[in-house]
Amino acid sequence: MHNDLAEVLFTEEEIAGRVGEMGRAITRDYACTADEGGIVLVSVLRGAAIFMADLARRIELPVEMDYLAVSSYGNGAKSSGVVRILKDLTSEIEGRHVIVAEDILDSGLTLTYLLKNLSSRHPASLEVATLLRKKTPAQAKIDCKYLGFECPDDFIVGYGLDYAERYRNLPCIGILKPEIYQ
């Protein structure tokens, strides 16, 4: 699988270091919520599950983990433009502090929809922790309180990110060679 990468953007060690920094920042920012039951981390399956698991282990507060499954890509390389919720949260988030753990902010379409949906459930607070943010001019305006890395507007795989359900298990993050997906 490594041979399918045009370039490694972030190594396993770089990712671990940055996720640790994000976890420490969340611990610091939400320390006062420990008596309120801590925070709810919400991951969008499947891509962000690895990131959220690692992030949760770096947060030194009570953490509840929950998952949404949404679809906007299918097996393609570009978003279809239609967001569908395939699996909803099982936790009640009203009055809770919620952090959406996102793998990559690309167009922002999916995350914009998701934030609007979660906000309608009246959480005490709602923030975003994204591992990657692509540098794209047409990206939706989304405030990410916790940002791992900025990355180029290329097809990115590894550390949970996939192409047609492959490459999620790469420990690094890299750019997929165009001939693989074209």
Side-chain angles (χ1 to χ4, degrees):
M1 288 188 305
H2 285 85
N3 292 335
D4 292 349
L5 298 180
E7 175 185 350
V8 171
L9 294 173
F10 307 107
T11 66
E12 184 175 4
E13 294 77 20
E14 289 170 323
I15 295 166
R18 186 66 190 119
V19 171
E21 291 170 6
M22 294 171 77
R24 287 188 293 279
I26 291 169
T27 299
R28 180 188 64 244
D29 293 349
Y30 288 87
C32 64
T33 69
D35 293 337
E36 302 169 24
I39 58 176
V40 180
L41 277 181
V42 174
S43 169
V44 178
L45 293 171
R46 300 175 203 166
I50 293 172
F51 168 56
M52 185 170 85
D54 286 348
L55 181 63
R57 287 190 291 262
R58 303 300 180 263
I59 297 171
E60 296 181 20
L61 297 169
V63 172
E64 184 176 334
M65 298 166 62
D66 205 341
Y67 303 89
L68 283 162
V70 300
S71 174
S72 68
Y73 280 82
N75 281 334
K78 296 278 186 201
S79 175
S80 67
V82 177
V83 179
R84 297 180 311 138
I85 292 183
L86 306 175
K87 182 220 171 290
D88 206 346
L89 297 177
T90 55
S91 303
E92 178 62 45
I93 63 168
E94 183 173 350
R96 310 270 317 269
H97 296 283
V98 176
I99 299 175
V100 177
E102 181 68 298
D103 54 357
I104 188 165
L105 178 54
D106 193 343
S107 69
L109 172 71
T110 302
L111 191 54
T112 297
Y113 173 84
L114 183 61
L115 290 171
K116 195 175 295 186
N117 182 296
L118 294 175
S119 182
S120 73
R121 302 176 197 202
H122 309 290
S125 66
L126 180 60
E127 298 292 349
V128 175
T130 188
L131 180 62
L132 300 171
R133 185 175 200 146
K134 280 192 177 182
K135 297 177 188 174
T136 58
Q139 190 176 83
K141 299 280 186 206
I142 296 174
D143 180 37
C144 297
K145 186 167 184 177
Y146 307 99
L147 173 63
F149 304 99
E150 292 217 345
C151 67
D153 188 13
D154 290 304
F155 202 93
I156 310 296
V157 295
Y159 194 71
L161 296 150
D162 76 302
Y163 170 65
E165 298 304 322
R166 295 185 62 206
Y167 308 102
R168 290 190 195 278
N169 58 321
L170 285 173
C172 62
I173 294 172
I175 299 171
L176 190 62
K177 290 179 180 174
E179 59 266 23
I180 303 295
Y181 60 89
Q182 291 178 338

